[in-house]
Amino acid sequence: MQGIYTKLHQDGSCAARLGVLHLPHGDVETPVFMPVGTNGTVKGIYHDTLRKIGFNLILGNTYHLYLRPGTEILKKYGGLHTFCGWDRNILTDSGGFQVFSLSGLRKISENGVRFQSHIDGSWHEFTPEKVVDIQSVIGSDIAMCLDICTKPDIPYKDAVHAMRVTHAWASRCLARKEQLGGQFPGNLFGICQGNFYKDLRKESAEVISGMDFPGIAIGGLSVGESPETFREMLAYTTQFVTADKPRYVMGIGSPDFILDAVENGIDMFDCVLQTRMARNGAVFTDDGVVTLKKAKWADVQEPIDPECDCTCCKEYTLGYMHHLIKCNEMLGGMLATEHNLAYFKRLMRRVRQAIREDRFAQFKKDYLDRFYANGGKR
């Protein structure tokens, strides 16, 4: 099959790389950070603002969209793009992580997973085939296979079982995608698992890389393990994932995790951290995170970041943002959301420029030294 990824440059100082994803709704430069839009909207920001910032790939969530508004509504609209008015690319996860996090509300078998809705308690079933069908209705430009995400420190035999089922489900997802043919023009990504056992990580990376997926996700990371374990397992696993396809680590959003991923040749990552922190009055700068509720900002007549061109930094002061957040005004969260997403968009441009100039390793060190100089807080 023709690949969707073009590698443009390999950094001379590490495994970081520049590339382009060729997707149905336009090309995407990598490495790329993707905002999360669980219910067909990135919380607290207009789609027009996302376009203005420059995002052309956002996430949706299969589990949540399946429950509300449901596939019948999405079918009537011709998919999520039309339903939510977003004319650029959408990646949807399989919904597996949400299902597996339900703990007592689900039952996993080799056929799939039965779960209770967190909304009304009704029972539903996700099979690998059904998850592909749902994402076909959504119209995902990138869709994820159903997998079993496991928590740290489970017994080895349980990790083996989860990995083997994940591999079997990956094959079934591929078969269903093939059956759908032109009904589903999007791209289906496989997911490596293996918990935190290196032999299983290696096996899963090689098995999934050998399948006919246009992209590979490294799953089972950022699920509660220590930062040191995250770095070790990320570096170990990535060496066994084919370099010919885009690599994706799900659910990482802090600057240190993102830069660790880029250094190891990861092309894609997403997180709710930026928007969630914004709604709680915390914004990112090169000198650490600013907690806007702190009294010290009450009379500061300067922007959050004079180098940022978001609405918040161009038109408002730290003092005004402090006021909005203290008063629980909706505008405060919206402005903070735009700032955080604009900040990470600009950070990724700087990352790509550093890779282009073969100086990413030094960029990472300098950036993190400054960001965490005061414990990551300003």
Side-chain angles (χ1 to χ4, degrees):
M1 62 182 293
Q2 184 177 1
I4 65 166
Y5 176 73
T6 300
K7 179 179 170 181
L8 299 178
H9 181 72
Q10 177 74 52
D11 189 287
S13 65
C14 61
R17 60 189 196 168
L18 281 180
V20 178
L21 291 172
H22 308 290
L23 299 175
H25 285 84
D27 286 355
V28 178
E29 292 182 295
T30 63
V32 60
F33 171 77
M34 302 172 288
V36 176
T38 300
N39 292 302
T41 174
V42 178
K43 283 185 170 63
I45 191 167
Y46 293 114
H47 284 158
D48 280 350
T49 308
L50 290 171
R51 279 188 281 262
K52 183 182 73 173
I53 294 171
F55 287 107
N56 51 6
L57 176 56
I58 63 174
L59 267 68
N61 183 274
T62 298
Y63 166 85
H64 288 281
L65 293 168
Y66 164 76
L67 292 176
R68 286 187 303 205
T71 53
E72 291 306 312
I73 294 293
L74 291 172
K75 280 180 184 177
K76 289 180 180 179
Y77 278 84
L80 182 60
H81 289 86
T82 304
F83 183 62
C84 74
W86 176 251
D87 57 357
R88 301 186 183 185
N89 295 292
I90 295 172
L91 182 155
T92 47
D93 64 14
S94 68
F97 181 81
Q98 284 69 34
V99 168
F100 300 129
S101 68
L102 292 173
S103 156
L105 300 178
R106 44 84 170 164
K107 299 176 181 178
I108 302 171
S109 70
E110 294 197 4
N111 185 57
V113 56
R114 277 178 48 79
F115 62 93
Q116 275 187 286
S117 164
H118 71 285
I119 300 168
D120 61 9
S122 58
W123 281 93
H124 304 268
E125 183 176 28
F126 274 1
T127 64
E129 294 81 6
K130 184 171 182 176
V131 162
V132 172
D133 290 344
I134 295 168
Q135 292 179 94
S136 174
V137 171
I138 291 171
S140 310
D141 298 282
I142 297 176
M144 306 305 298
C145 285
L146 186 65
D147 66 324
I148 298 181
C149 182
T150 54
K151 62 184 181 181
D153 302 324
I154 66 170
Y156 183 82
K157 64 179 180 61
D158 293 343
V160 170
H161 176 73
M163 180 191 71
R164 298 278 161 78
V165 173
T166 290
H167 294 171
W169 286 359
S171 295
R172 288 167 58 186
C173 284
L174 274 174
R176 182 57 180 160
K177 175 74 164 61
E178 183 68 23
Q179 289 174 354
L180 289 174
Q183 296 177 58
F184 188 7
N187 301 278
L188 180 67
F189 279 27
I191 305 175
C192 308
Q193 287 293 344
N195 198 257
F196 293 91
Y197 297 99
K198 286 188 174 180
D199 60 325
L200 301 185
R201 283 267 163 195
K202 179 176 184 292
E203 179 181 346
S204 190
E206 291 176 341
V207 167
I208 297 297
S209 292
M211 292 184 175
D212 196 20
F213 292 111
I216 309 293
I218 299 175
L221 294 178
S222 192
V223 290
E225 75 277 12
S226 69
E228 294 75 22
T229 299
F230 168 83
R231 294 185 187 101
E232 178 186 3
M233 286 297 173
L234 172 66
Y236 181 80
T237 307
T238 305
Q239 65 183 312
F240 302 110
V241 177
T242 176
D244 297 333
K245 300 174 182 179
R247 300 162 171 160
Y248 172 27
V249 174
M250 296 176 281
I252 60 170
S254 62
D256 53 344
F257 275 34
I258 285 178
L259 297 182
D260 283 337
V262 171
E263 188 174 37
N264 283 284
I266 301 301
D267 308 293
M268 308 163 62
F269 22 84
D270 72 276
C271 200
V272 299
L273 182 72
Q274 288 71 11
T275 51
R276 181 177 291 163
M277 286 181 63
R279 294 193 303 277
N280 287 289
V283 289
F284 286 87
T285 74
D286 281 0
D287 295 302
V289 173
V290 174
T291 302
L292 292 167
K293 287 183 180 179
K294 289 184 177 179
K296 69 177 183 177
W297 305 119
D299 61 353
V300 176
Q301 300 180 41
E302 299 170 0
I304 293 169
D305 183 349
E307 295 184 13
C308 181
D309 63 356
C310 75
T311 304
C312 179
C313 291
K314 286 193 303 183
E315 299 186 18
Y316 302 105
T317 65
L318 270 163
Y320 182 62
M321 288 299 295
H322 166 83
H323 166 71
L324 292 177
I325 296 299
K326 287 288 286 185
C327 294
N328 294 317
E329 285 290 343
M330 188 182 302
L331 179 61
M334 293 178 68
L335 289 170
T337 296
E338 181 184 345
H339 169 80
N340 279 351
L341 292 179
Y343 177 83
F344 274 83
K345 184 67 176 177
R346 184 160 53 93
L347 175 60
M348 297 317 301
R349 286 198 295 269
R350 294 157 65 192
V351 162
R352 292 193 294 270
Q353 186 62 30
I355 296 171
R356 192 174 292 112
E357 296 172 359
D358 296 315
R359 56 178 180 85
F360 177 77
Q362 188 62 49
F363 172 85
K364 177 190 173 189
K365 180 183 184 305
D366 293 344
Y367 178 89
L368 293 178
D369 284 349
R370 179 177 173 182
F371 187 87
Y372 289 107
N374 293 306
K377 298 177 181 179
R378 179 176 140 194

